[in-house]
Amino acid sequence: MTHYYNANHTAKASALHRALLLVICFILSFPITSLAQTIGGNVYGAGNQGNVESSSTVMLKGGTIMGDVYGGAREADVAGRTFVDVNATSALLVRCVYGGNDVSGTIGTSTELPFNSPLATEIDNSWNSFVRIAPNTQYPVIIGSLYGGGNGAYTYADESKKPVLGKTYLEIQGGIFGNIYGGGNNATVTGNTVIYMNNQLENLSVSEATLGDFKDLFDAPDYSTNGENVTFKHHVSRMFGGNNLAEMAIRPTWNLIMGSINNLYSGGNRGAMTSRTGILLPLTSADLTVNNVYGGCRIADVNPGTNAPGEDKTIQDYTFPADYATRVYITAGNITNVYGGNDISGKVHYGTNLAIFSKTGNLLGQFFSSLFGRLRERKTDGLAV
């Protein structure tokens, strides 16, 4: 048997530790549903080391999950697609939600989409993993970190055993999040990651009694405390198109309609972006609020390879020139600062390009082409300035 080790603690758990893990195997017609209860360990839609010959669905309705939720398996294959459906009927608090697997294993596809998506023309049944956060204005939904992909934060003798996904889809129409990743933790997505957000939640206050220790999943500047209530400043503290730790070699697809984000990254956190065509972040909705926009990563490189990206890209009526690794396109929104490059560290190879049309919305702050670079292009009302 192959043994795996967690990046932070060993995964060769004792029998007592394994007893804390909730591992449930099931067939498509019997989805897992979490109601108002407390689960001390993890929730898996599929098996531990046993394969599932169909699809898996995890339905989260309420309660507190101190561990992680996986649409897939711990270290096994799922023949069909995976689906995590968050539709709360009471308060729901979860440390992490993954669309994919934990340690290893593959995920297949199904014959149809698991729900009616507003992006039905952009995704199809070739997608492997789906995560939906349904609209909810009555009950708080608090998730520390949301991943479209799998975990993979272990030490592997064979790196090919990581829980890599082909295609994943995130639909966020409610909830409050510490981090959102279009990809995985230390496992990547190889085909396509599509991120749709239309979060209309207005009440960002949660009682201290409900939130409990989950407040520790957020940085102190992300919220304020007033008496018995904690009020979050944004729907999402940090939102990434890429992975947390692993490299991603594709360009994430963005559909940001409504919501409030503190820091928005076109790329990953510590995971580099290596798509041959570079990465692109379009912001075109007046209902979107972002404090800081980054065309690159937080702490990683954006490097398309040995040659500059030789592709022009047209969005609406604007064509980005070829040979730029990061591109940001803005026509609307309430946005404070825009950076074409990275946040803390890392290098953007071949330069950055900003196209800013302030036709609607409120662009409050400043525009920076790169942390270490220079402004490529800035436009207001369609006129270069």
Side-chain angles (χ1 to χ4, degrees):
M1 178 184 294
T2 302
H3 295 288
Y4 302 90
Y5 300 87
N6 190 292
N8 299 311
H9 66 278
T10 178
K12 291 174 62 179
S14 64
L16 176 62
H17 179 87
R18 290 187 184 278
L20 295 176
L21 302 178
L22 179 64
V23 181
I24 306 175
C25 303
F26 66 98
I27 306 302
L28 176 62
S29 58
F30 298 97
I32 296 175
T33 301
S34 170
L35 298 173
Q37 54 190 311
T38 297
I39 296 176
N42 296 343
V43 172
Y44 297 88
N48 179 19
Q49 294 181 333
N51 296 337
V52 169
E53 295 303 320
S54 186
S55 295
S56 64
T57 296
V58 179
M59 302 173 67
L60 300 178
K61 298 293 187 180
T64 300
I65 301 176
M66 306 303 294
D68 304 332
V69 173
Y70 296 89
R74 182 173 180 269
E75 47 182 318
D77 296 341
V78 180
R81 55 96 185 116
T82 63
F83 177 34
V84 179
D85 187 14
V86 179
N87 191 0
T89 57
S90 64
L92 174 67
L93 296 92
V94 186
R95 188 178 71 168
C96 297
V97 172
Y98 293 88
N101 290 347
D102 182 5
V103 180
S104 63
T106 62
I107 295 175
T109 60
S110 63
T111 57
E112 59 186 19
L113 297 178
F115 61 97
N116 293 323
S117 168
L119 297 184
T121 59
E122 297 187 32
I123 62 173
D124 54 37
N125 61 3
S126 67
W127 259 248
N128 309 105
S129 175
F130 301 83
V131 180
R132 178 178 64 174
I133 315 297
N136 192 319
T137 59
Q138 187 173 0
Y139 304 104
V141 174
I142 309 294
I143 298 175
S145 293
L146 172 63
Y147 299 87
N151 183 8
Y154 302 88
T155 298
Y156 295 81
D158 182 357
E159 291 287 317
S160 68
K161 298 299 184 181
K162 285 187 176 182
V164 173
L165 270 180
K167 296 180 180 181
T168 186
Y169 173 62
L170 288 177
E171 182 174 308
I172 303 143
Q173 299 202 57
I176 298 171
F177 307 84
N179 302 285
I180 294 178
Y181 299 90
N185 186 10
N186 198 31
T188 194
V189 176
T190 59
N192 202 337
T193 176
V194 177
I195 306 158
Y196 173 86
M197 185 172 77
N198 187 13
N199 195 337
Q200 302 181 36
L201 178 66
E202 295 182 358
N203 182 12
L204 300 184
S205 294
V206 183
S207 69
E208 283 263 22
T210 299
L211 193 59
D213 293 340
F214 277 77
K215 187 169 69 173
D216 297 337
L217 298 177
F218 296 81
D219 295 333
D222 293 336
Y223 59 85
S224 61
T225 302
N226 182 14
E228 298 180 353
N229 291 323
V230 174
T231 301
F232 292 91
K233 298 178 180 179
H234 305 275
H235 293 115
V236 187
S237 296
R238 297 191 185 109
M239 190 170 196
F240 302 89
N243 303 313
N244 181 23
L245 303 173
E247 173 187 315
M248 178 179 281
I250 61 172
R251 173 191 289 169
T253 301
W254 294 93
N255 294 270
L256 302 180
I257 309 302
M258 178 180 287
S260 173
I261 305 167
N262 187 20
N263 294 296
L264 174 61
Y265 302 87
S266 182
N269 182 23
R270 296 179 180 271
M273 303 298 289
T274 57
S275 168
R276 184 67 195 88
T277 57
I279 53 179
L280 169 65
L281 178 60
L283 305 176
T284 60
S285 173
D287 295 320
L288 186 68
T289 298
V290 185
N291 187 23
N292 296 301
V293 174
Y294 298 92
C297 298
R298 183 169 177 261
I299 315 176
D301 290 352
V302 180
N303 186 1
T306 56
N307 299 308
E311 180 197 48
D312 296 336
K313 180 65 177 180
T314 299
I315 296 183
Q316 296 181 8
D317 57 353
Y318 179 75
T319 299
F320 280 96
D323 300 336
Y324 291 100
T326 72
R327 297 158 177 154
V328 179
Y329 177 81
I330 301 176
T331 61
N334 301 294
I335 298 170
T336 304
N337 298 304
V338 181
Y339 303 84
N342 293 341
D343 181 5
I344 296 174
S345 64
K347 180 179 180 181
V348 176
H349 296 250
Y350 306 110
T352 65
N353 189 288
L354 303 179
I356 298 172
F357 299 77
S358 56
K359 296 176 181 178
T360 60
N362 184 21
L363 304 182
L364 298 175
Q366 304 181 54
F367 309 119
F368 303 92
S369 178
S370 178
L371 189 61
F372 307 107
R374 59 187 182 277
L375 186 64
R376 299 292 186 184
E377 184 143 0
R378 173 185 168 188
K379 295 194 175 188
T380 304
D381 293 328
L383 300 176
V385 296

